[in-house]
Amino acid sequence: MVSDQSQDEAEQQPKIGRIPALIAAVTIVGIAIGAAAGLLTLMLYQVEHFALGYIENAHESGPFNVPAIRRAISVTVGAAIAAVIWWLLRTRTTTVPSVKKAVGGALMPVWQTIVHVLLQIFIVGTGMSIGREVAPRELGAMFGQRFARWVRLDVKDTRMLVAITAAAGLAGVYNAPLAGTFFAVEILLADVTLETVTLAFACSALASWVASLVKGTHTFYLIGEADSLFTPDYMVFALVAGLMLGAAGALFRRGSQWARKQPSGAGILWMMPLAGLLTGVVAIVVPQVMGNGRATAQLSFSSKADLAVIPVLLLSFVAKAIVTLLTIRSGASGGVLQPGIALGASGGAILGILWMQVFHTNSIGMYALLGACALLAASQQAPLMAICLVMELADAPINLFVPIGLAVAVSAFTASRLAKPLAAWHLPRAKAADR
């Protein structure tokens, strides 16, 4: 009786019109998630300063000058602390769903989501090898859900709003409104309509602007000299690199799917500290392996066109891939966008150095840039988002969309062709394990 009366009263409450509600949501949540993304970035810098004694920037992108023992202690202790809190969060409270599940309707609990988000920033700041872009996306999804319920949007519009506000978190943390827009329509919604694109771009642009007021704005990757008047051999390179890095991206995507099979119980209490210790040991030789991938990528963008550099880049590529996947497998939450860019930049730089032994027409930064776009597009199966994210982060000349677009088309197609064979290759082992 009481519940029926409450329902009747709720139905009699005035409901905001659909379009005004969506506009208000995009404006209010865009501002909120922009401010949150800026604050999360400042938090990352403070954690890095406290744990490692440096703050990442384009000129000092990794803990290269931090003593090895401090690197090892930082990442191991950070992983151990996060493991305990995550274990409590996942076994004693309401589970925080993924952003895709939130878009599908799963409710994101408030304080659990906030703790979950802060932990992701914390482990990246202490040096664990994982992306930090999932944290602001989860916060954006939570904001979007709450606002949608407040203005009583229907299920379809709530789904759209949650995807848009989650993607705005990505845009805010990286000052990348185009990437945020395409992340919403290409990955979360797979729905390209005029209304969706308009609202997504407005929310991402607003979040990017507000975030820049909080944390400032700068070029995330320095790619050096990048001639927008690309050469014919660069177009040919785009075909070759697209094919090879498309295959690498498909493998990384498959590895990421494997890594998502995380421990469900107390296993995280020993697996994550072990992953942190492994990261610290690897970082003794390869310090750029620590963090979200910025150091590995910047090392590739700044490399010299010398064959002697290839072993260093190859070691960076292998170490970053393995440590990132093991970090996720151990139970850590986080993203693979920045690690994917790091792997692609390393692969592109390696191929570029070999290419430059014959053609001396382009800079190493242009090859690394193309490689980053190609592998990210293949691993995410989202070519538009991948191109825009890397181009915005590197402040690259817009004319490079032509050769990079070609490389991304080839890499995404290659990865899509390899998806089923890779899944089938893993299937017999999975069945054997089930038996």
Side-chain angles (χ1 to χ4, degrees):
M1 183 101 176
V2 176
S3 61
D4 291 340
Q5 184 178 359
S6 300
Q7 184 176 358
D8 292 339
E9 291 175 354
E11 290 176 353
Q12 291 172 4
Q13 291 175 358
K15 183 178 180 181
I16 302 175
R18 176 178 180 272
I19 297 302
L22 287 174
I23 293 174
V26 165
T27 304
I28 295 173
V29 181
I31 292 173
I33 191 56
L39 291 173
L40 288 176
T41 302
L42 295 181
M43 175 189 168
L44 173 69
Y45 294 160
Q46 290 305 310
V47 173
E48 287 177 338
H49 179 68
F50 175 78
L52 292 165
Y54 91 110
I55 296 177
E56 68 174 60
N57 57 74
H59 299 284
E60 188 178 7
S61 56
F64 299 102
N65 297 316
V66 178
I69 186 63
R70 183 167 183 174
R71 293 199 295 261
I73 292 174
S74 170
V75 70
T76 305
V77 172
I81 293 172
V84 173
I85 300 175
W86 256 320
W87 176 71
L88 293 172
L89 198 63
R90 293 170 182 175
T91 59
R92 300 291 189 272
T93 67
T94 304
T95 302
V96 178
S98 66
V99 170
K100 283 194 175 182
K101 288 182 179 179
V103 172
L107 185 64
M108 304 195 77
V110 177
W111 73 264
Q112 292 93 334
T113 299
I114 293 173
V115 173
H116 192 63
V117 164
L118 297 179
L119 279 176
Q120 293 176 55
I121 301 299
F122 173 74
I123 63 170
V124 174
T126 57
M128 291 202 79
S129 179
I130 198 167
R132 61 184 168 101
E133 65 276 352
V134 170
R137 296 206 308 256
E138 290 179 345
L139 212 53
M142 187 190 74
F143 288 169
Q145 277 187 341
R146 291 311 189 277
F147 197 92
R149 294 177 71 185
W150 181 47
V151 297
R152 300 174 58 200
L153 292 177
D154 61 25
V155 174
K156 182 179 179 181
D157 284 341
T158 296
R159 178 176 180 271
M160 178 178 66
L161 179 62
V162 172
I164 287 172
T165 54
L170 170 69
V173 80
Y174 290 132
N175 293 117
L178 284 175
T181 302
F182 287 121
F183 190 88
V185 302
E186 196 175 28
I187 295 180
L188 296 179
L189 290 173
D191 177 28
V192 183
T193 63
L194 180 60
E195 181 179 70
T196 302
V197 173
T198 301
L199 292 173
F201 186 67
C203 194
S204 289
L206 186 58
S208 297
W209 174 62
V210 173
S212 70
L213 298 179
V214 177
K215 64 182 178 63
T217 181
H218 57 269
T219 302
F220 198 79
Y221 295 123
L222 300 179
I223 59 175
E225 181 184 355
D227 192 349
S228 59
L229 300 177
F230 46 86
T231 58
D233 72 275
Y234 191 60
M235 295 295 290
V236 178
F237 176 81
L239 291 172
V240 176
L243 183 64
M244 298 181 69
L245 295 176
L251 287 170
F252 185 61
R253 181 181 179 85
R254 192 71 188 96
S256 299
Q257 293 168 348
W258 166 81
R260 295 297 177 188
K261 299 174 183 177
Q262 299 175 322
S264 57
I268 191 175
L269 294 174
W270 66 268
M271 291 179 67
M272 191 177 295
L274 183 60
L277 178 60
L278 174 64
T279 303
V281 171
V282 173
I284 294 174
V285 180
V286 192
Q288 64 268 24
V289 78
M290 297 182 73
N292 63 4
R294 186 177 187 178
T296 300
Q298 188 57 61
L299 182 69
S300 303
F301 287 125
S302 306
S303 293
K304 297 180 179 180
D306 188 339
L307 290 173
V309 178
I310 290 181
V312 176
L313 295 175
L314 187 58
L315 180 61
S316 296
F317 182 97
V318 174
K320 189 65 181 177
I322 292 175
V323 173
T324 298
L325 295 180
L326 291 180
T327 298
I328 297 171
R329 182 73 180 215
S330 72
S333 291
V336 292
L337 294 186
Q338 283 295 332
I341 292 175
L343 296 178
S346 299
I350 292 170
L351 295 175
I353 291 172
L354 296 174
W355 194 264
M356 292 176 75
Q357 304 308 305
V358 179
F359 303 97
H360 306 278
T361 51
N362 297 289
S363 66
I364 193 66
M366 289 179 65
Y367 295 108
L369 181 74
L370 186 146
C373 292
L375 193 143
L376 183 63
S379 63
Q380 294 295 312
Q381 282 295 286
L384 296 175
M385 184 280 298
I387 294 178
C388 290
L389 179 59
V390 178
M391 296 284 279
E392 286 177 302
L393 288 175
D395 196 19
I398 196 166
N399 272 9
L400 292 183
F401 270 105
V402 176
I404 288 176
L406 177 61
V408 162
V410 173
S411 69
F413 177 78
T414 301
S416 68
R417 296 298 91 190
L418 292 175
K420 287 184 178 180
L422 286 174
W425 172 76
H426 189 71
L427 190 59
R429 294 185 61 185
K431 287 184 176 178
D434 290 340
R435 288 198 296 269

